[in-house]
Amino acid sequence: MSRVVAALRHRATHRPAAVALIDEHGVLDYAAVAAESAALGHWLRRGGTERAALLADNSMAWALWDLAALQAGITLVPLPGFFTDEQLRHVVEDAGVDTLIGDDASRIERLVEGPARRPRNKRVAGRDFSVLRRVPVATEPLPAGIAKITYTSGTTGAPKGVLLRGETLEQVAVSLVDATRAHGGD
């Protein structure tokens, strides 16, 4: 199990009312974050999601989608809002994304070329999201453990994807905790 997920569940059990996330839409405690991210992960898995792209502003909702993907074993492709629609379409195709999630429904719909299901709306942490399933072009299987695919800005050509293992991301997080001497109260 992911160390992040284990830590989240530990906090949700031992300090459920402690503040976990804050943004302009409110505050979520650890119990709510654990429950909502798990429910979102199950919802995505039930819909058949394997690779999801997320185009949204930084927020509690973004964190919940990210945690949901992590818990459900879904590879997440964060989409930078500053990318052009052409760059985003390239990323969606290149990464083999089967589910697009975004807080701007019209932009999400513009990214899909070819068959797609009607978007579903989902309210997460005070924000409205459009979730659109699509049929990706045949894609190669990812190596085991890939949690995220992040893309370069493509300044010298089309954006290029970098595969990030969940284990590696967590090692970096642990090293940052160690280097900053962070603790649970921070």
Side-chain angles (χ1 to χ4, degrees), residues 67-158:
L67 287 166
L70 180 63
Q71 291 179 72
I74 293 167
T75 300
L76 186 67
V77 182
L79 297 176
F82 63 85
F83 273 21
T84 65
D85 285 357
E86 181 181 338
Q87 288 173 310
L88 292 174
R89 276 191 289 279
H90 166 77
V91 168
V92 166
E93 286 300 325
D94 187 63
V97 168
D98 56 45
T99 304
L100 286 154
I101 304 164
D103 58 6
D104 181 345
S106 64
R107 190 158 191 212
I108 289 295
E109 290 177 24
R110 287 195 313 262
L111 301 182
V112 176
E113 296 173 342
R117 294 188 192 151
R118 190 170 150 265
R120 296 170 62 190
N121 296 320
K122 190 80 171 159
R123 189 151 180 89
V124 177
R127 291 178 182 263
D128 292 321
F129 284 83
S130 182
V131 180
L132 183 63
R133 292 275 302 150
R134 64 182 289 276
V135 177
V137 177
T139 57
E140 292 182 34
L142 294 173
I146 300 300
K148 287 195 176 39
I149 306 173
T150 187
Y151 278 77
T152 64
S153 63
T155 53
T156 60

Side-chain angles (χ1 to χ4, degrees), residues 50-64:
E50 292 182 24
R51 296 183 198 177
L54 177 59
L55 179 61
D57 290 332
N58 288 334
S59 63
M60 290 189 302
W62 200 104
L64 289 170

Side-chain angles (χ1 to χ4, degrees), residues 12-13 40 172 181 184:
T13 300
L40 272 177
V172 170
R181 295 189 168 107

